[in-house]
Amino acid sequence: MRVGRYIGWKGYVEAVKSSRAITALPAIILAVSIAHLPVPEGLTDTSMRLLGVFAGVIVGLLTADYDMSVILAAALLVLTLTKSFMCTTASGHSIECDRCKTMYRGDGGHWHEYTCDPIGGSFEVAISGFSNKVSWLVFCAFHIGKAVEKTGFGKRVSLALVGSMGQSALGIGYAVCLAELILAPFIPSNTARGGGIVYPIVESVIASLGVDPHIGEDPVGGFLSFVAASANLISSSLFVTGMAGNPIVASKAADIFGIEFGFSEWVIGASVPALLIMLLLPPFVHILLRPKLDFTNLSQNIRRQHHALGAMSDQEYRLCATLLTCLVLWVGTPYFGIDATVVAYMAIVILILLNVLTWSDVVKNHKAWDTFFWLASFIVLAEQLTALGVTDWIGNSLSRSLHNASPLVCTISLSLAYFFSMYMFSSISSHVVAFAGPFFAAGYVLGCPPKLLTILVALFSSLAGILTPFSTGSVAIYASQGYISQPKWFMFGLLFSVLSLVVVFTVGLIWWKIIGWY
């Protein structure tokens, strides 16, 4: 009543409507509803609470006006306080945390107590993702990307490519593609790579070609924007370090199929179809938009930007030596025996010791810390969904509709369903976290070839991002410029997706057959 007395009921209603907490209500309602549903066969009350919170997180990412890390922090807190994890007892048993300090009948009919702390054990599980190698790999790679940006090396490479290849529309398109390919192994944030390094150059090229950014739709701006957005996603699909969600795919494949899918396996599997799709991208978009380019000011603009950079600095040479060493060690992991995460960690230490980066750069790299937090949190959720049987339950449910099909048909069907489910998400990483595990579990039950299904999910996790103009930050940046209308972006995205699927299910399948993946 005090609120009503001072601002009136209308003001109170408006205050409630404008509250950020209201945007989280759909997620909260869904989480509570699922947690209180009748428990199906194969799950437990703890499983249902975890499934409810996980579903609430996914919906919250779509509707709530909170940062991803805030949503995940709240989710981990709720799961900790409700003891909705798997704890480890003093004797090494894995039990649901809400059973800690309860009695059980052991061998010989004697009663024993599960010796573990239900809340403390739950919290240990909640923060276990921060010691996960996947989290550290992505965290370190972000700082490598910061070094590429800070030294100006990324911009230098991109300008050189556009300057040498920018004699035609297709040439500029391929220059953008090549810039993405060169930077992708070292910058795991496709948004940082596409939006922070490549996008400013693309916009500069568009302006140099005489395009007015205020006139709305334009074939020249649309051509370069769509090519750049698509190239960002294709390059993300080519390397395990190309996008923050990729290591989760590799991790879930290892957990469910028991296969190693590291840097070299990923590149070998993705190289042929991804590079062919990249090769077809500029001419395909050129046919759709038919841009007419004016190259009068482009060369002068490129020279001016290149001159402003000056000669390569000592820091850039040190960076190049470090990047080359990383690439050699990553590709040669089976021979050198050094884990990819250790290589990335070593690179950060070397870059700091060589004064390419400072500790202040590391501390101030907010994107790296933010991604480290939410990725570690997602890893905990994914691991616990598996530990509590939720992933297997969803996989079994999916597999029932395909139980009479051959393993190859099941693999293709599951991968297509995974691809088009991207329409429901506004985050590539959220899509990976929500569906990679369940689809792998379904593939395991149906006897799908492990490496074949893994590479399809690996490719489609990024390639599906072109379906919508809001799938990831880099795509949203290009789509928001207005050179292509929203309806046309959906249409072009679907058309390019069809082209990508045709390549994957023809050339890709032939390639994977040759290397013995099915």
Side-chain angles (χ1 to χ4, degrees):
M1 293 299 294
R2 289 181 179 177
V3 175
R5 187 179 304 162
Y6 287 104
I7 62 175
W9 283 110
K10 288 185 178 181
Y12 175 76
V13 171
E14 289 302 318
V16 171
K17 285 182 178 180
S18 63
S19 171
R20 288 204 301 169
I22 292 297
T23 63
L25 273 181
I28 295 171
I29 292 171
L30 178 65
V32 173
S33 300
I34 292 177
H36 288 85
L37 287 174
V39 181
E41 184 179 354
L43 296 182
T44 65
D45 289 333
T46 304
S47 304
M48 292 301 290
R49 290 197 298 272
L50 177 62
L51 179 59
V53 171
F54 179 73
V57 166
I58 299 303
V59 171
L61 294 175
L62 299 174
T63 64
D65 186 23
Y66 290 96
D67 292 333
M68 185 185 299
S69 293
V70 175
I71 294 172
L72 284 159
L76 292 180
L77 176 61
V78 169
L79 291 170
T80 297
L81 295 177
T82 57
K83 299 166 282 190
S84 302
F85 288 127
M86 289 290 282
C87 286
T88 302
T89 67
S91 57
H93 292 95
S94 292
I95 64 165
E96 295 174 3
C97 292
D98 59 0
R99 295 178 62 194
C100 287
K101 297 186 177 181
T102 61
M103 303 301 291
Y104 70 99
R105 188 185 294 273
D107 296 336
H110 300 292
W111 288 93
H112 305 276
E113 182 184 71
Y114 286 121
T115 53
C116 53
D117 180 1
I119 299 295
S122 294
F123 186 65
E124 287 182 12
V125 175
I127 62 175
S128 62
F130 298 103
S131 62
N132 188 284
K133 289 193 297 184
V134 172
S135 304
W136 278 95
L137 173 62
V138 173
F139 177 73
C140 293
F142 263 98
H143 293 300
I144 296 174
K146 180 64 177 179
V148 172
E149 178 186 350
K150 177 186 176 182
T151 60
F153 181 68
K155 185 174 183 179
R156 185 183 301 278
V157 170
S158 301
L159 286 172
L161 290 173
V162 174
S164 61
M165 301 174 66
Q167 307 305 314
S168 66
L170 291 179
I172 296 176
Y174 281 121
V176 172
C177 293
L178 194 54
E180 281 282 355
L181 283 175
I182 291 173
L183 297 173
F186 310 106
I187 304 178
S189 169
N190 63 309
T191 299
R193 185 176 69 249
I197 297 176
V198 179
Y199 165 73
I201 297 171
V202 170
E203 279 300 289
S204 176
V205 171
I206 291 174
S208 299
L209 294 171
V211 177
D212 185 349
H214 305 292
I215 63 173
E217 291 189 57
D218 181 84
V220 174
F223 169 76
L224 291 176
S225 295
F226 196 86
V227 166
S230 303
N232 178 262
L233 295 170
I234 298 169
S235 62
S236 296
S237 74
L238 189 54
F239 305 98
V240 69
T241 53
M243 188 265 289
N246 286 352
I248 297 178
V249 175
S251 176
K252 297 305 294 183
D255 291 343
I256 295 172
F257 292 124
I259 61 174
E260 184 70 27
F261 212 77
F263 189 89
S264 56
E265 290 86 359
W266 192 298
V267 172
I268 290 171
S271 58
V272 172
L275 291 176
L276 180 56
I277 294 170
M278 187 77 88
L279 190 66
L280 295 174
L281 170 63
F284 180 80
V285 181
H286 195 278
I287 292 172
L288 292 177
L289 289 166
R290 299 193 176 279
K292 296 180 179 179
L293 280 66
D294 179 4
F295 294 92
T296 306
N297 299 317
L298 179 60
S299 297
Q300 182 180 356
N301 185 278
I302 296 296
R303 284 196 301 271
R304 183 169 61 252
Q305 292 190 56
H306 194 77
H307 179 73
L309 287 175
M312 277 190 67
S313 64
D314 290 341
Q315 285 189 328
E316 288 179 87
Y317 282 115
R318 295 170 195 157
L319 173 64
C320 289
T322 305
L323 295 182
L324 183 60
T325 302
C326 284
L327 192 57
V328 170
L329 292 175
W330 275 332
V331 173
T333 296
Y335 307 101
F336 299 111
I338 304 177
D339 187 84
T341 304
V342 177
V343 174
Y345 182 78
M346 179 180 67
I348 297 305
V349 174
I350 291 174
L351 289 172
I352 293 173
L353 293 175
L354 294 177
N355 293 321
V356 177
L357 286 175
T358 65
W359 185 246
S360 179
D361 293 326
V362 175
V363 172
K364 293 178 181 178
N365 193 343
H366 304 299
K367 189 68 176 177
W369 290 103
D370 181 53
T371 302
F372 181 64
F373 185 90
W374 66 251
L375 181 58
S377 303
F378 267 135
I379 287 173
V380 170
L381 293 179
E383 289 178 345
Q384 289 299 301
L385 286 169
T386 299
L388 284 162
V390 176
T391 298
D392 287 341
W393 178 76
I394 295 175
N396 290 332
S397 301
L398 286 171
S399 65
R400 292 190 192 105
S401 60
L402 294 168
H403 67 281
N404 291 323
S406 68
L408 182 59
V409 171
C410 291
T411 302
I412 294 173
S413 300
L414 286 174
S415 62
L416 282 172
Y418 180 82
F419 185 94
F420 286 105
S421 65
M422 186 64 219
Y423 274 119
M424 299 185 295
F425 290 85
S426 61
S427 165
I428 290 177
S429 297
S430 299
H431 181 229
V432 171
V433 171
F435 283 160
F439 275 78
F440 281 155
Y444 181 82
V445 172
L446 292 166
C448 297
K451 287 194 173 181
L452 179 60
L453 183 57
T454 300
I455 192 59
L456 285 171
V457 170
L459 284 169
F460 290 170
S461 293
S462 294
L463 293 179
I466 202 60
L467 285 170
T468 71
F470 52 78
S471 62
T472 184
S474 57
V475 173
I477 289 171
Y478 288 112
S480 66
Q481 302 310 304
Y483 298 123
I484 300 177
S485 67
Q486 297 280 317
K488 283 186 179 179
W489 192 286
F490 276 100
M491 182 180 68
F492 292 165
L494 180 59
L495 291 173
F496 185 66
S497 295
V498 171
L499 173 66
S500 300
L501 292 172
V502 169
V503 171
V504 167
F505 289 126
T506 53
V507 176
L509 286 178
I510 293 172
W511 170 240
W512 298 320
K513 187 71 173 178
I514 290 173
I515 61 178
W517 282 14
Y518 74 97

